[in-house]
Amino acid sequence: MSLGGVGRIAICGYRRILASHLPHVQRITLQFSRQMSTEMQSVASRLQSSGLLRTQGLIGGKWTNAYDGKTLEVNNPATGEIIAEVACMGRKETNDAISSAFDAYKSWSKLTAAERSKRLRKWYDLLMAHQEELGQLITLEQGKPLKEAMGEVGYGASFIEFFAEEAKRVYGDIIPPTLPDRRLFVLKQPVGVVGAITPWNFPLAMITRKVGPALACGCTVVIKPSELTPLTALAAAELALQAGIPPGAVNVVMGNAPDIGDALLASPQVRKITFTGSTAVGKKLMAGAAGTVKRVSLELGGNAPCIVFDDADLDVAIKGTLAAKFRNSGQTCVCANRVLVQEGIYDKFADAFSKAVQNLKVGDGFREGVVQGPLINEAAVNKVETFLQDAVSKGAKVLLGGKRHSLGMTFYEPTIISDVNSEMLLSREEVFGPVAPLLRFKTEEEAIHMANDTNAGLAAYIFTNNVQRTWRVSEALEYGLVGVNEGIISTEVAPFGGIKQSGLGREGSKYGMDEYLEIKYVCLGDMNRN
Ligand code: NAP
């Protein structure tokens, strides 16, 4: 099994469940830990007074505890402190959330597109009005630097704005008939209730990229955020309610992932599963969806090559590779996982890249100037260490970093490792951490072969000043996204998604709507009768 899920799959939902049936878990406000630092307490208090700190699930518009009273802790990865105890839900709560979504679907899908659009737009406005608080929440539970977290809020909200507009553009078709007394129409209708399962690395954007188009089309949703980062999802859901998105149209359950996943898969009322996460879990969900023949969209793991040709502008290549590799501490599905450098520029690139990387400031995401936060948890650091040991034992050389950061916790030094080859784990699987492996190549043909030599096919990057090469290589790369002389390419207006084992379907852009629409053909006969 891939380590994409940082080893949590088997124990998900159980490890951090607290004692159940205790009166204190019935309280609906945030439970502050006694160990919480003064600094974190002040951020948490600000968040609480904004009304965005929610710890219960959302079912049918009601904030709800787990039925058996169980909770799970949400930790700050930078400090290990407990931020909150949230409801730890399972099968029963999920079934009720599905029923609520099913009921709400009847009215939400009947609203005019203009009315749905208005409420989505209001949700966008509220998300942006609370950009700072939401950013703080993301930094608290996920660890990315505050500036980057605020950027995620803008990016996440942009999907709601974009799909508020697209809601009004769901056109059907009229087909010229083959018989004179017939008229043929094509209608596009919402799929129905959608189960949306999302990861921890973008606690807001991975949700809005699914829920925006789903609601725009007239679908209703049951969201299952990661147990590691549920607070952002709950805050976003609170703002959806405030925006007038009706009770039951957006539900949130979190806790025991396999139980929640099984309930979503088993229900015939859920007509679609949309998942972002590891390839291993994606495959399980795809198999499980077969039982009720649900539609499935999957945004899975990547193994992005970043190809630097001899003719690249060195500064552009350094800046682009830096962004593609070290954003979110290397914990994105589109992070450069292998840096392929042509032999003529290899030494110059390695030298300049090392100088740039050693300037990256590591620390708590709330600290000024920090550009690299902690990894999400201990399992993630263990994975990085295993991959590094494997590479070094097979002849790779550490140019920079290569160990845990002196800050302790789950901080890891920004790392560059050279002489990596295709036999090493670093080349075969996503490292999901701040490690840039350098691989050397001679020809364009060899680079394309190395880049495509993987089951993944999400993002790829090339750096070159040769226009013909840009086209040739972009066409030859077996990837869903290609960045040319640019390391950050995601935007709400362009289609995002992978090929091969990186997934099915596209999110964002006008194509993102198709994932939530069914096509219905209507044949009108007997037209010649008066
Ligand atoms: P993960 O372990 O697969 O978890 C993703 C989600 O699935 C979480 O909500 C998790 O819940 C849930 N889950 C786990 N086991 C489940 C089960 N048996 N049934 C139903 N749900 C289950 O992945 P992750 O570690 O959170 O995220 C990292 C992975 O996501 C990487 O591989 C990355 O490349 C990929 N990713 C892909 C994209 C993309 O757009 N292609 C974007 C971002 C991330 P719990 O967390 O509560 O256990």
Side-chain angles (χ1 to χ4, degrees), residues 4-6 8-9 12 197-202 206 209 224-228 255 257-258 261 275-279 281 284-285 299-302 332-333 430 432 458 496 502:
V6 289
R8 292 181 290 107
I9 293 162
C12 169
I197 303 177
T198 57
W200 49 265
N201 61 347
F202 288 91
M206 295 304 99
R209 209 161 71 172
K224 196 218 83 65
S226 168
E227 62 169 351
L228 300 173
F275 171 75
T276 298
S278 62
T279 306
V281 174
K284 276 191 199 170
L285 295 174
E299 296 285 351
L300 309 177
T332 86
C333 52
E430 269 180 316
F432 237 58
L458 187 55
F496 187 104
S502 284

Side-chain angles (χ1 to χ4, degrees), residues 396-410:
K397 295 188 187 71
V398 174
L399 298 185
L400 189 76
K403 57 182 190 307
R404 285 170 184 261
H405 197 277
S406 55
L407 285 169
M409 293 301 302
T410 56

Side-chain angles (χ1 to χ4, degrees), residues 413-461:
E413 292 183 351
T415 295
I416 302 177
I417 178 160
S418 72
D419 298 280
V420 171
N421 65 42
S422 59
E423 301 309 312
M424 300 171 184
L425 277 174
L426 277 174
S427 298
R428 313 294 330 156
E429 291 183 35
E430 269 180 316
V431 64
F432 237 58
V435 178
L438 305 187
L439 293 85
R440 195 185 293 260
F441 69 91
K442 284 192 172 68
T443 64
E444 181 182 302
E445 201 183 10
E446 187 189 4
I448 292 167
H449 173 75
M450 287 164 76
N452 289 340
D453 183 23
T454 166
N455 286 331
L458 187 55
Y461 307 89

Side-chain angles (χ1 to χ4, degrees), residues 31 38 156 323 346:
Q31 308 292 302
T38 328
Y346 189 94

